[in-house]
Amino acid sequence: MREDDQKYREVISLNVQKINILFIERKKLTSTNRLSKVEIKKLTDRLAVENYPDLSDVELLTIIELQTDLDNQNTELLIDIVKKTGYPNENNTVCEKYAGMIFRHSQSKYFDEIKPLIEVELKKGNINKATYDFFIDHINGRPFDPRF
Protein backbone atom coordinates (compact mmCIF):
# COMPACT_ATOMS: atom_id res chain seq x y z
CA MET A 1 0.00 0.00 0.00
CA ARG A 2 1.10 3.53 -0.64
CA GLU A 3 -0.27 4.77 2.70
CA ASP A 4 -2.35 3.50 5.57
CA ASP A 5 -5.64 2.44 4.00
CA GLN A 6 -7.52 3.59 7.10
CA LYS A 7 -5.87 7.01 7.30
CA TYR A 8 -9.03 9.13 7.12
CA ARG A 9 -11.72 6.48 7.51
CA GLU A 10 -12.20 6.97 11.26
CA VAL A 11 -12.88 10.68 10.82
CA ILE A 12 -15.38 9.84 8.08
CA SER A 13 -17.13 7.21 10.21
CA LEU A 14 -17.38 9.61 13.16
CA ASN A 15 -19.09 12.17 10.93
CA VAL A 16 -21.32 9.89 8.88
CA GLN A 17 -24.57 11.70 9.75
CA LYS A 18 -23.16 15.08 8.75
CA ILE A 19 -21.71 13.56 5.57
CA ASN A 20 -25.07 12.01 4.65
CA ILE A 21 -26.66 15.46 4.94
CA LEU A 22 -23.93 16.92 2.71
CA PHE A 23 -24.65 14.26 0.09
CA ILE A 24 -28.41 14.76 0.35
CA GLU A 25 -27.87 18.49 -0.13
CA ARG A 26 -25.53 17.62 -3.02
CA LYS A 27 -22.71 19.69 -1.56
CA LYS A 28 -19.44 19.23 -3.39
CA LEU A 29 -15.98 20.66 -3.58
CA THR A 30 -15.70 23.25 -6.31
CA SER A 31 -12.97 25.53 -7.53
CA THR A 32 -14.34 28.27 -5.27
CA ASN A 33 -14.51 26.31 -2.00
CA ARG A 34 -11.63 23.84 -2.45
CA LEU A 35 -8.87 24.00 0.17
CA SER A 36 -5.39 25.00 -0.93
CA LYS A 37 -2.48 22.58 -0.54
CA VAL A 38 -1.34 24.56 2.51
CA GLU A 39 -4.82 24.34 4.07
CA ILE A 40 -4.98 20.58 3.35
CA LYS A 41 -1.59 20.14 5.04
CA LYS A 42 -2.85 22.07 8.08
CA LEU A 43 -5.99 19.92 8.14
CA THR A 44 -4.09 16.62 7.99
CA ASP A 45 -1.66 17.87 10.65
CA ARG A 46 -4.64 18.78 12.84
CA LEU A 47 -6.16 15.32 12.35
CA ALA A 48 -2.90 13.78 13.54
CA VAL A 49 -3.11 15.57 16.91
CA GLU A 50 -6.81 16.09 17.54
CA ASN A 51 -8.87 12.97 18.13
CA TYR A 52 -12.25 14.36 17.14
CA PRO A 53 -11.89 17.80 15.61
CA ASP A 54 -14.98 19.80 14.72
CA LEU A 55 -14.81 19.96 10.94
CA SER A 56 -16.43 22.29 8.45
CA ASP A 57 -18.39 20.96 5.48
CA VAL A 58 -15.49 21.74 3.15
CA GLU A 59 -13.01 19.99 5.48
CA LEU A 60 -15.19 16.87 5.58
CA LEU A 61 -15.59 16.83 1.81
CA THR A 62 -11.82 17.25 1.51
CA ILE A 63 -11.20 14.27 3.79
CA ILE A 64 -13.57 12.14 1.71
CA GLU A 65 -11.71 13.20 -1.42
CA LEU A 66 -8.33 12.44 0.19
CA GLN A 67 -9.54 8.98 1.29
CA THR A 68 -10.99 8.26 -2.16
CA ASP A 69 -7.71 9.27 -3.84
CA LEU A 70 -5.81 7.03 -1.41
CA ASP A 71 -8.21 4.14 -2.04
CA ASN A 72 -7.77 4.58 -5.81
CA GLN A 73 -3.97 4.59 -5.56
CA ASN A 74 -4.01 1.46 -3.39
CA THR A 75 -6.52 -0.27 -5.68
CA GLU A 76 -4.36 0.39 -8.74
CA LEU A 77 -1.28 -0.86 -6.88
CA LEU A 78 -3.03 -4.06 -5.73
CA ILE A 79 -4.38 -4.71 -9.24
CA ASP A 80 -0.81 -4.44 -10.59
CA ILE A 81 0.51 -6.77 -7.86
CA VAL A 82 -2.19 -9.38 -8.51
CA LYS A 83 -1.51 -9.27 -12.26
CA LYS A 84 2.24 -9.72 -11.73
CA THR A 85 2.56 -12.08 -8.76
CA GLY A 86 -0.94 -13.20 -7.80
CA TYR A 87 -2.99 -12.20 -4.81
CA PRO A 88 -0.71 -11.28 -1.88
CA ASN A 89 -0.16 -14.01 0.67
CA GLU A 90 2.61 -15.20 2.98
CA ASN A 91 4.23 -17.16 0.12
CA ASN A 92 4.60 -14.35 -2.41
CA THR A 93 4.86 -11.12 -0.41
CA VAL A 94 5.41 -9.56 2.96
CA CYS A 95 2.14 -7.77 3.57
CA GLU A 96 1.64 -6.09 6.94
CA LYS A 97 -1.99 -5.13 6.33
CA TYR A 98 -4.93 -7.14 5.10
CA ALA A 99 -4.80 -6.49 1.36
CA GLY A 100 -8.45 -7.47 1.00
CA MET A 101 -9.59 -4.22 2.52
CA ILE A 102 -8.13 -2.43 -0.48
CA PHE A 103 -10.50 -4.17 -2.90
CA ARG A 104 -13.32 -3.77 -0.36
CA HIS A 105 -12.81 0.02 -0.53
CA SER A 106 -12.41 0.16 -4.32
CA GLN A 107 -14.54 2.49 -6.39
CA SER A 108 -16.98 1.08 -8.94
CA LYS A 109 -14.77 2.22 -11.82
CA TYR A 110 -12.43 -0.69 -10.94
CA PHE A 111 -15.04 -3.45 -10.60
CA ASP A 112 -14.78 -4.69 -14.21
CA GLU A 113 -11.04 -5.16 -13.72
CA ILE A 114 -11.19 -6.62 -10.21
CA LYS A 115 -13.89 -9.25 -10.82
CA PRO A 116 -11.99 -11.35 -13.41
CA LEU A 117 -8.79 -11.02 -11.36
CA ILE A 118 -10.37 -12.45 -8.23
CA GLU A 119 -12.09 -15.20 -10.23
CA VAL A 120 -8.66 -16.32 -11.50
CA GLU A 121 -7.17 -16.04 -8.00
CA LEU A 122 -9.99 -18.19 -6.59
CA LYS A 123 -9.37 -20.86 -9.25
CA LYS A 124 -5.62 -20.78 -8.50
CA GLY A 125 -6.31 -21.16 -4.77
CA ASN A 126 -4.68 -17.83 -3.93
CA ILE A 127 -7.90 -16.68 -2.25
CA ASN A 128 -10.57 -18.77 -0.58
CA LYS A 129 -14.31 -18.67 -1.26
CA ALA A 130 -15.00 -16.46 1.78
CA THR A 131 -12.52 -13.82 0.55
CA TYR A 132 -13.97 -14.04 -2.97
CA ASP A 133 -17.49 -13.60 -1.57
CA PHE A 134 -16.28 -10.63 0.52
CA PHE A 135 -15.10 -8.87 -2.67
CA ILE A 136 -18.14 -9.85 -4.74
CA ASP A 137 -20.44 -8.54 -2.00
CA HIS A 138 -18.76 -5.14 -2.37
CA ILE A 139 -18.92 -5.24 -6.18
CA ASN A 140 -22.64 -6.08 -5.96
CA GLY A 141 -23.37 -3.12 -3.65
CA ARG A 142 -22.92 -4.99 -0.35
CA PRO A 143 -26.34 -6.65 -0.23
CA PHE A 144 -25.13 -9.00 2.53
CA ASP A 145 -23.52 -6.31 4.66
CA PRO A 146 -25.86 -5.66 7.59
CA ARG A 147 -24.74 -2.01 7.79
CA PHE A 148 -26.31 -1.21 4.41
Side-chain angles (χ1 to χ4, degrees):
M1 287 187 300
R2 297 183 194 284
E3 287 186 59
D4 181 7
D5 186 54
Q6 302 299 310
K7 187 169 186 171
Y8 306 108
R9 214 165 299 286
E10 183 178 1
V11 173
I12 293 169
S13 68
L14 291 171
N15 289 280
V16 75
Q17 289 180 328
K18 188 173 181 180
I19 290 167
N20 286 339
I21 292 168
L22 293 176
F23 288 153
I24 290 167
E25 294 175 353
R26 300 191 189 290
K27 292 200 176 177
K28 296 180 181 177
L29 292 176
T30 64
S31 57
T32 57
N33 71 356
R34 190 171 295 277
L35 297 179
S36 69
K37 288 182 180 184
V38 171
E39 291 169 319
I40 291 172
K41 174 73 171 115
K42 287 179 184 176
L43 173 61
T44 57
D45 288 348
R46 196 169 119 217
L47 292 174
V49 259
E50 293 181 37
N51 287 335
Y52 308 106
D54 186 29
L55 301 169
S56 71
D57 293 355
V58 170
E59 288 173 326
L60 274 174
L61 291 168
T62 300
I63 290 168
I64 292 167
E65 186 175 84
L66 291 170
Q67 184 63 57
T68 301
D69 290 346
L70 181 57
D71 289 344
N72 290 344
Q73 291 171 21
N74 285 332
T75 296
E76 291 168 10
L77 179 61
L78 184 55
I79 286 170
D80 287 343
I81 290 169
V82 172
K83 285 179 177 179
K84 291 176 185 168
T85 62
Y87 189 79
N89 60 49
E90 63 276 354
N91 297 325
N92 66 9
T93 189
V94 177
C95 189
E96 295 177 20
K97 304 276 184 178
Y98 178 55
M101 293 311 294
I102 295 171
F103 280 166
R104 184 71 172 186
H105 294 145
S106 296
Q107 306 299 308
S108 59
K109 68 182 182 179
Y110 297 104
F111 291 173
D112 289 341
E113 193 168 7
I114 292 170
K115 189 173 181 183
L117 283 176
I118 61 173
E119 288 170 352
V120 168
E121 294 304 300
L122 178 64
K123 288 177 186 169
K124 287 181 180 178
N126 290 338
I127 61 172
N128 60 34
K129 181 77 165 92
T131 300
Y132 174 83
D133 289 345
F134 185 65
F135 298 149
I136 291 298
D137 181 54
H138 176 61
I139 289 170
N140 290 336
R142 300 187 185 195
F144 300 109
D145 189 328
R147 298 172 299 162
F148 296 97

